[in-house]
Each structure stands twice: as C-alpha cells, then as structure tokens.
Amino acid sequence: MSSIAKKVQEQQYEDQQQTQQTVVIRKAKISIGEVFLLCALAIMVSFMGVKIVSNQAAIYETNKEIQLVETSIEEQGKVNDDLKVQVAELSTYERIWKKAAALGFKLNENNVKGVQ
C-alpha cells in the first residue's frame, strides 16, 4: 500500500474512533424507584405543610373566639357589679321606711316581734 492510502486509512480509523467516543449514551443516575420515592417525599412534605398551616389557622380562630368570650364575660361582670351597687342602694332601711310611709304603712309596735 502506498503511504497516501495508508494515511487516508489511518484518518478514517481516527475519525471512526472520534465519532464513537462522542456518541456516548449516559444512563440516568437516578433509578425509577428513587424517582418514585422522591415524588412521594415531596408530596408528603407538601401535605404536611398544608396541614400545619390549616391547624395554625384553626388555632388562631379558636383563640380569637376565646378572647371575644372573655371580653363579653368581663363586660357582663361589670354590669353585674353595677346592679349589685344599685341593689345595695335601693335596699337601705331608710329608703324602705320612706316607701312604706308613702304607701300608708304605719309601725305598730304590738305587732313587732323581736328575734334573737
């Protein structure tokens, strides 16, 4: 063979090696099972995040209702205290005696019994 034919043959051989080397097919590094597990983990993390947020929202609403009830209890307590003061003012002996006298009642000492 001539040297030119030999050089052409060597170039073709090198071209074939280069083309074979550049056409390397790589397989996926993650298997299908691992992909499935990663998807399941992502779904679980998302679900738990939503669950936590919904629980926090429910807790917030419950605390808000508790505060409203406590406020109404305090207001009712103030009303009750005011009414107790009014009862104390209206049930004094002098006021009852004046009302009885205005209605025509008289004190009869013969009808009064002393209790010890």
Side-chain angles (χ1 to χ4, degrees), residues 103-116:
L103 293 174
F105 293 108
K106 296 181 183 176
L107 181 62
N108 186 357
E109 293 188 19
N110 295 331
N111 291 335
V112 176
K113 294 182 181 179
V115 180
Q116 294 180 356

Side-chain angles (χ1 to χ4, degrees), residues 3-19:
S3 66
I4 295 175
K6 194 175 187 183
K7 286 182 183 178
V8 170
Q9 192 177 25
E10 287 177 7
Q11 281 181 345
Q12 288 176 353
Y13 180 72
E14 288 176 8
D15 289 341
Q16 286 176 356
Q17 284 183 345
Q18 287 177 356
T19 56

Side-chain angles (χ1 to χ4, degrees), residues 9-34:
Q9 192 177 25
E10 287 177 7
Q11 281 181 345
Q12 288 176 353
Y13 180 72
E14 288 176 8
D15 289 341
Q16 286 176 356
Q17 284 183 345
Q18 287 177 356
T19 56
Q20 288 175 357
Q21 290 176 357
T22 57
V23 185
V24 175
I25 300 173
R26 294 185 183 184
K27 292 188 175 182
K29 293 182 180 179
I30 299 175
S31 69
I32 295 174
E34 290 173 339

Side-chain angles (χ1 to χ4, degrees), residues 71-84:
T71 303
S72 66
I73 289 172
E74 288 178 8
E75 290 174 0
Q76 189 63 42
K78 289 178 184 177
V79 170
N80 289 348
D81 291 340
D82 291 341
L83 292 174
K84 285 179 184 178

